[in-house]
Amino acid sequence: MSRFSWEDNPRPRRAAFGRLWQKLILTPIAVFAALADARRRELLELLALGPDASAGGLAAMLPVSRQAVEQHLAVLEEARLVTRRRSGRQVLFSVRPEGLIATAGWLGGPRHRLGDSKNLR
């Protein structure tokens, strides 16, 4: 018999549920919220075109300030759509496709479980 019982200590169960909630529900919501803004979609597309880019380099391609680009990139990073890394004095951003893949899987889940789209009418 195990020494640990869920009834003895419900805290790990709550923590596990919180991580599951964040992974399954909050990630798609954060992705949709991040992609609701046209400028963030444009930034994501620019980052997908090539290797890592800095906020200043991205701002040079857009009619917005570097600070505005950094704010948009922070939202994209929070939604797990981009990642940042330091290279000397620069902070470089790149696309994380996992966030979009997870959201696409989340969207496909109910349809897959329900069967044919003819049944949804």
Side-chain angles (χ1 to χ4, degrees):
M1 188 151 170
S2 174
R3 291 179 14 199
F4 179 78
S5 168
W6 287 111
E7 289 75 28
D8 295 341
N9 187 359
R11 192 172 286 196
R13 180 174 43 184
R14 278 191 231 134
F17 180 74
R19 287 190 298 272
L20 180 66
W21 173 261
Q22 182 178 14
K23 184 177 180 183
L24 294 178
I25 304 299
L26 295 182
T27 299
I29 292 171
V31 169
F32 291 138
L35 295 178
D37 186 86
R39 185 68 64 203
R40 287 193 281 268
R41 290 192 304 271
E42 189 174 9
L43 282 169
L44 201 59
E45 289 174 8
L46 286 173
L47 282 170
L49 290 177
D52 302 344
S54 67
L58 291 167
M61 294 185 245
L62 300 170
V64 294
S65 68
R66 183 182 54 81
Q67 292 82 6
V69 168
E70 286 178 357
Q71 288 176 348
H72 286 302
L73 288 170
V75 173
L76 291 170
E77 186 177 21
E78 190 174 307
R80 299 179 184 161
L81 294 174
V82 300
T83 185
R84 73 172 65 212
R85 70 174 179 84
R86 275 207 173 273
S87 178
R89 292 178 55 189
Q90 282 191 321
V91 177
L92 300 175
F93 295 87
S94 59
V95 174
R96 283 184 66 185
E98 303 90 23
L100 288 172
I101 291 169
T103 303
W106 181 83
L107 283 172
R111 183 175 179 193
H112 175 71
R113 285 189 296 272
L114 292 172
D116 238 349
S117 61
K118 295 175 188 173
N119 297 332
L120 298 177
R121 293 180 193 174

